[in-house]
Amino acid sequence: NAGVTQTPKFRVLKTGQSMTLLCAQDMNHEYMYWYRQDPGMGLRLIHYSVGEGTTAKGEVPDGYNVSRLKKQNFLLGLESAAPSQTSVYFCASSPRLAKNIQYFGAGTRLSVL
Amino acid sequence: AQKITQTQPGMFVQEKEAVTLDCTYDTSDPSYGLFWYKQPSSGEMIFLIYQGSYDQQNATEGRYSLNFQKARKSANLVISASQLGDSAMYFCAMRERGDFGNEKLTFGTGTRLTIIP
């Protein structure tokens, strides 16, 4: 039972490069989320999705785009990476009828040089 | 004003003692939810407990309980009979409705709990 799987686990980018982080969940959850975690801070919500084909902005959406083409996948894109996007990224999912319980992936550590 | 405030950056507690981790919140939404998550050194986020703003009783999950004081806007996590495996970062979080009917999820800065044998 995989739960929420994030790929890759680690990545180093140069400023200006682009990349996509993949989040996959096998629990048939409707809600999915992308957070970033920075030292000394809690998690901050970047974007979220309440269902296939829908996305919405969170607290810190600038510089990121997302897509939810399939219910089980939620992609986070960085079109032109900046050093300020160096962070640990967490994906989470929750079922619609119990949306207050989020299941998290193991995180992706991203460094932008 | 901070949405979620955790005033204890770090705590040291003797094994088997009870622990209270403080959390205060600020919202004007009458319908909101409060959560606690645990983050061990391995990095994953683990859901511990949830309290809805309309729930009459304090939430409990095994050794975890949430001391919900609505008038004071506090939602402290109580861990009874602490164990070495409780050593971790603990985050308080809140779900509320945003300005455009969307979701707002806010996390506190966390409390690092260390259990001493």
Side-chain angles (χ1 to χ4, degrees), chain A residues 38-57:
Chain A
D38 300 296
M41 302 182 72
L43 275 69
R44 291 184 291 169
L45 183 64
I46 304 171
H47 287 279
Y48 66 98
S49 168
V50 301
E52 183 179 330
T54 70
T55 63
K57 293 180 180 180

Side-chain angles (χ1 to χ4, degrees), chain A residues 84-111:
Chain A
S84 61
Q85 294 177 304
T86 294
S87 188
V88 180
Y89 291 85
F90 285 96
C91 176
S93 71
S94 58
R96 181 175 57 85
L97 294 180
K99 65 178 182 179
N100 295 308
I101 302 176
Q102 295 185 37
Y103 298 83
F104 280 80
T108 296
R109 188 174 294 275
L110 175 67
S111 295

